Amino acid sequence: MTLVKLLKINKIYNSGEVKFQALKNINLDIKKGEFVAIIGASGSGKSTLMNIIGLLDKPTTGLYELDGQDTSRLKEDNSARIRNKKIGFVFQSFNLLPRTSALDNVAIPLIYAGVSEDKRKDMAKKALEQVGLDDKLNSRPSQLSGGQQQRVAIARALVNNPEIILADEPTGNLDSKSGQEIMKIFQELHNQGKTIVMITHEADIAKNARRVIKIKDGEIT
Amino acid sequence: MEIVQTIKSAFTAILANKVRSFLTTLGIVIGVTSVILLIAVVSGLQTFITTQIQGLGSNLLFVIPGRVGGARSPGGIQENKLVYQDALNLKMKLAGEAEISGAVQKNATLQFKNKNDKGAAVFGVEATYPKIISIKLSGGRFFREVDQQAARRVAVIGQTVKNNLFAQGQPLNQSIDVAGQKYTVIGILEPRGSIFGIDQDNSIYMPITTAQRQFGIDRLNTIYIGANNSSNVASVQKKAIAILKKRLTEDDFTVQSQEQTLSTISQITGVLTAALGGIAAISLLVGGIGIMNIMLVSVTERTREIGLRKAVGARPSDIRNQFLVEAIILSGFGGIIGIVLGVGISLIVGRFFTTTVPWWSVLLSFGFSTLVGIIFGVAPAIRAARLDPIQALRYE
C-alpha cells in the first residue's frame, strides 16, 4: 500500500530576479513499512524534498498524496494536524527544548493532539522505553549525551504513533558509535513495521536502509 | 491546544526566566500602584471636603458679596455692598421659610490673664446661626436674641481658643479680652478640626451687633440662609435673589447653594483625578512597551522552539495564544501586585491623610494593565505565529 505518492513535483524558489529550481519533476512512491534513504550532496534538494513530504513546505507544481489524501489544498491548520498525527520528525540538531525534561520533551506532540496530561505522561514514558531511555525520564537535554538526546528526539517522533518517520541527517551531529546506535533503533522500528524516510549524505548511513534513492541537482537519478 | 495547557506552558516559560519576568512586570506594578495611589489620594480629598461641607447642613445657602463666575471676579477690586439691611430684608420676606443670619469676620488677638491667642477668627453672627449651621456646644450656651439686641459683650469660644487661654480651669463665665474689650465666655464649641489647613477651632462667636460696634464694620462678609425644608432650597434661593435685587444689582452678590459648592469641588477633583491618573497611566503604557520588548526578545530566542512546535503539530493559533497568554499573565500579575501595593500604601498614607480607594479604580487599573498586556502582546505573538517552521528550525 502506497503511503507517499509524489507525482511530477517541481519546486522553484523565486528570490528576486533569480529563479532556482530545487526539485525537478520528482516521481516517487514509498510504501507502508519501507525503510528508505534519500542520499545526496548538500544543495541537491534532498532537504526540500523532505520538507515537502513532511508538509512543512508545498511544491510549486505537482501532486503529493499522503496516505491516499491529496495535500495540495490543505490549509495551514490542517497540515499542522496531519503533521501531528501522521508524521514524526527527527532532526540533525535534535531540537529538544532546553530546561525541559526528556519526558516533557517527548510529550510535546501530544499536547497539540489534545491528549490529557496523565495519558501524555504514560505515552511519553512508553516511547522513551522503546528507545531504551526509561531511566532518563527526568533528565534534561544538557544532562544527556548527543546519542541520548537523539534517542529522546526519536521517542518524540514515535509518541503519536505516526504513519511515517522523517529523519533529516539523524546522525549528522553524532560520533560514529552513537550513530550506529541510532541506526540500530531505526532497524528495530523498521522490523516493527514503521515506515522510515531518512535523509543523509553519507553512504555508510544510507546502507542501513532497504532502499536508497539518489538525488542530484533536484532530480532522482 | 486547550487553554489550561496554554496557561501552564506560559507559566513554565515565565518561570524559566524569573529575574527577567520580574523586571518586566515591575513596569506594570509601578504603573498600577501609582494609578491606585493617586486616585485614592484625590478621592480621599474629595470625600474629606464633601463631608466637611455636608457637615454644615444641606439646606444651607449663603450670600457672598460680588459675582462668582461672572465677568468681574470678586475680590478687592469690587466694593462690598452687602449690609445688615439686606439680611433684615431677607429675614422679613422669608419668614417661615428660612432662618437668616448675617455674618461679619475679623481677626483679633484674645487675652486671658497672661495668656493670649493671636490671630483667632472672630465671627459676628446672629442668634439664629446655630439653627442654620450645625454647630454643637460642649458647654454653656449660644447667645440669644436679647444678647444680640442689647449688643452684649458675650462670646462662644472654640476648642483651640479654650486650650490657648484656659490650659487649666473653667472658661465659662470668665472674662476674656478681645481686641481690648472685655467679653464674658458663655459657651464652648465642640472641636471641628481644620479645613484646607485652617483651624476652625481657633475662633470665637459673638453677636453681630457687638462685633459691628467693636470693629466698626457695617459690611457683611456673608449672609447665611438656612431653608426650613430641604425640598424648598431651590425656591428659597430664587426668592433670596429676587429680594436682594431690589436694593442691589446682580453683580453685587451671589447666592450659592451647597449643591453648587459641591459640584464645583467635584469638578476640581475630577480634573485632578483625570490629570494625575493620566500621568500614572503613561507609566502603565511604558510598562506595556517593556512587555512588548521582552516578548519580542523571547520570540527571537525561542525561534527554534517555535519551529519545532509547529513541526510536531502546533497550529499558528496555538503559538499565537501561547505568547499572548504569556504577555497577559505578565501584565495581569503586575496588575495584581500593583493593586496589593497600591491599596496597601493607600492604607498607610491614610493614617496621615484621608485616602479612599474607590472600587472602580481597582477594576480600572487591573483592566487597563491586562489590556496593555493584550495590546502589547499581540504583535510579538503574531510574529511568532507567522514564523516559517523550516527557517525557524534552522535558526541559530
Side-chain angles (χ1 to χ4, degrees):
Chain A
M1 193 191 149
T2 305
L3 189 63
V4 170
K5 187 179 178 65
L6 296 174
L7 208 63
K8 292 182 183 168
I9 294 285
N10 284 285
K11 180 71 186 178
I12 299 162
Y13 289 109
N14 274 315
S15 54
E17 301 276 299
V18 193
K19 272 190 184 177
F20 173 69
Q21 187 156 11
L23 294 176
K24 291 171 195 162
N25 205 26
I26 300 278
N27 292 298
L28 178 64
D29 273 17
I30 296 167
K31 292 193 174 57
K32 220 169 222 173
E34 271 197 282
F35 185 0
V36 179
I38 298 174
I39 187 166
S42 88
S44 60
K46 60 186 194 302
S47 288
T48 307
L49 183 59
M50 192 184 107
N51 289 335
I52 286 172
I53 296 173
L55 290 176
L56 291 170
D57 206 350
K58 281 190 173 178
T60 313
T61 60
L63 179 79
Y64 169 31
E65 277 180 10
L66 174 65
D67 205 10
Q69 185 186 6
D70 177 16
T71 63
S72 57
R73 292 216 187 92
L74 284 178
K75 293 260 164 50
E76 206 173 343
D77 282 4
N78 289 329
S79 36
R81 189 177 306 136
I82 294 173
R83 284 200 298 271
N84 184 247
K85 301 254 185 251
K86 296 193 173 174
I87 301 167
F89 287 96
V90 177
F91 303 97
Q92 177 176 356
S93 50
F94 323 140
N95 280 317
L96 300 175
L97 301 196
R99 289 185 294 244
T100 305
S101 70
L103 196 71
D104 287 343
N105 260 299
V106 172
I108 291 170
L110 299 173
I111 293 175
Y112 299 105
V115 177
S116 73
E117 193 169 351
D118 288 347
K119 217 173 159 205
R120 285 207 298 266
K121 286 234 158 79
D122 277 0
M123 290 168 77
K125 213 171 142 185
K126 274 186 194 129
L128 279 164
E129 277 167 18
Q130 261 185 288
V131 296
L133 280 179
D134 35 336
D135 56 336
K136 301 283 185 195
L137 300 182
N138 295 314
S139 304
R140 293 167 178 219
S142 56
Q143 297 165 326
L144 298 171
S145 70
Q148 287 171 327
Q149 288 186 51
Q150 192 61 302
R151 276 147 73 190
V152 174
I154 293 169
R156 181 180 63 199
L158 290 171
V159 75
N160 245 356
N161 197 22
E163 297 288 339
I164 183 167
I165 291 169
L166 292 180
D168 186 0
E169 304 270 12
T171 60
N173 280 11
L174 299 175
D175 58 77
S176 60
K177 191 172 163 268
S178 306
Q180 282 311 315
E181 279 172 28
I182 298 300
M183 283 307 113
K184 229 175 102 191
I185 291 174
F186 277 20
Q187 296 290 0
E188 282 166 22
L189 292 173
H190 170 62
N191 292 339
Q192 290 163 23
K194 297 273 180 209
T195 314
I196 301 167
V197 177
M198 179 173 71
I199 282 184
T200 182
H201 64 278
E202 291 174 80
D204 274 1
I205 296 297
K207 272 196 308 200
N208 289 284
R210 299 291 176 275
R211 177 178 161 204
V212 176
I213 296 163
K214 286 184 185 155
I215 185 164
K216 194 183 172 189
D217 297 331
E219 285 177 293
I220 291 175
T221 57
Chain B
M1 183 153 79
E2 54 192 308
I3 187 71
V4 179
Q5 188 54 46
T6 310
I7 293 170
K8 272 189 193 167
S9 307
F11 269 108
T12 312
I14 286 167
L15 292 176
N17 277 303
K18 288 189 193 71
V19 174
R20 189 163 88 183
S21 304
F22 170 72
L23 291 175
T24 309
T25 309
L26 209 54
I28 298 290
V29 171
I30 292 169
V32 170
T33 305
S34 43
V35 166
I36 289 191
L37 193 59
L38 288 174
I39 291 177
V41 167
V42 176
S43 40
L45 186 69
Q46 181 175 8
T47 314
F48 177 72
I49 297 171
T50 307
T51 38
Q52 289 283 342
I53 287 169
Q54 279 168 345
L56 297 173
S58 61
N59 296 359
L60 180 68
L61 295 165
F62 42 97
V63 184
I64 49 176
R67 187 173 174 189
V68 175
R72 278 177 290 166
S73 58
I77 305 157
Q78 242 176 333
E79 193 195 347
N80 181 356
K81 291 183 179 162
L82 224 50
V83 295
Y84 190 61
Q85 185 58 45
D86 295 313
L88 281 179
N89 288 346
L90 289 170
K91 222 175 248 195
M92 274 183 348
K93 302 265 171 61
L94 290 173
E97 284 182 81
E99 297 289 346
I100 314 292
S101 168
V104 296
Q105 194 191 339
K106 200 87 185 169
N107 286 336
T109 300
L110 314 178
Q111 207 177 335
F112 177 70
K113 291 182 179 163
N114 59 349
K115 301 227 167 98
N116 60 40
D117 180 350
K118 284 176 184 152
V122 178
F123 292 97
V125 297
E126 302 191 47
T128 49
Y129 187 74
K131 292 182 191 166
I132 303 166
I133 304 271
S134 44
I135 55 169
K136 288 196 181 96
L137 297 180
S138 65
R141 63 174 179 89
F142 206 77
F143 52 84
R144 299 183 182 122
E145 205 68 41
V146 283
D147 301 315
Q148 188 181 332
Q149 274 160 14
R152 286 194 186 127
R153 292 215 191 92
V154 288
V156 176
I157 63 171
Q159 283 290 326
T160 308
V161 175
K162 182 192 164 199
N163 295 338
N164 285 344
L165 300 184
F166 303 95
Q168 294 113 19
Q170 243 302 320
L172 283 180
N173 297 320
Q174 298 280 6
S175 179
I176 61 166
D177 195 290
V178 181
Q181 300 271 6
K182 294 282 175 202
Y183 281 78
T184 308
V185 176
I186 58 166
I188 302 151
L189 292 169
E190 278 196 350
R192 289 181 299 172
S194 45
I195 182 164
F196 299 126
I198 298 164
D199 180 7
Q200 295 189 89
D201 296 322
N202 194 10
S203 56
I204 74 167
Y205 289 81
M206 59 176 65
I208 188 168
T209 44
T210 320
Q212 282 183 314
R213 191 175 295 174
Q214 158 131 30
F215 297 105
I217 348 171
D218 64 339
R219 307 289 157 164
L220 303 185
N221 293 78
T222 318
I223 300 170
Y224 295 97
I225 304 173
N228 290 344
N229 196 321
S230 58
S231 61
N232 66 1
V233 174
S235 81
V236 167
Q237 186 176 16
K238 264 190 204 154
K239 284 180 191 168
I241 292 168
I243 294 161
L244 291 167
K245 263 201 198 162
K246 284 187 181 154
R247 206 188 65 79
L248 302 161
T249 71
E250 60 179 14
D251 280 341
D252 293 335
F253 70 93
T254 305
V255 181
Q256 184 122 9
S257 69
Q258 291 292 77
E259 211 175 304
Q260 287 163 334
T261 312
L262 285 177
S263 91
T264 308
I265 284 164
S266 80
Q267 263 176 26
I268 295 169
T269 52
V271 170
L272 263 179
T273 308
L276 292 177
I279 291 168
I282 290 172
S283 68
L284 260 180
L285 213 63
V286 174
I289 294 169
I291 286 188
M292 175 148 86
N293 188 22
I294 283 302
M295 291 312 295
L296 286 172
V297 169
S298 177
V299 169
T300 309
E301 270 183 3
R302 285 152 69 192
T303 299
R304 287 177 76 101
E305 174 187 335
I306 295 163
L308 173 88
R309 286 182 184 271
K310 282 190 146 188
V312 301
R315 293 167 300 173
S317 56
D318 292 325
I319 300 292
R320 185 198 64 212
N321 291 347
Q322 187 184 341
F323 280 90
L324 198 53
V325 165
E326 262 176 56
I328 293 170
I329 288 175
L330 278 178
S331 61
F333 260 81
I336 290 170
I337 298 171
I339 286 168
V340 171
L341 279 180
V343 173
I345 298 175
S346 300
L347 288 177
I348 295 168
V349 172
R351 287 163 166 251
F352 311 104
F353 193 86
T354 319
T355 55
T356 45
V357 179
W359 59 269
W360 59 263
S361 79
V362 173
L363 280 188
L364 180 90
S365 45
F366 183 70
F368 196 64
S369 60
T370 313
L371 195 70
V372 159
I374 295 172
I375 290 170
F376 288 99
V378 161
I382 287 179
R383 173 188 272 207
R386 285 196 185 147
L387 281 179
D388 172 21
I390 298 168
Q391 277 167 20
L393 281 167
R394 276 197 211 123
Y395 183 85
E396 292 298 331

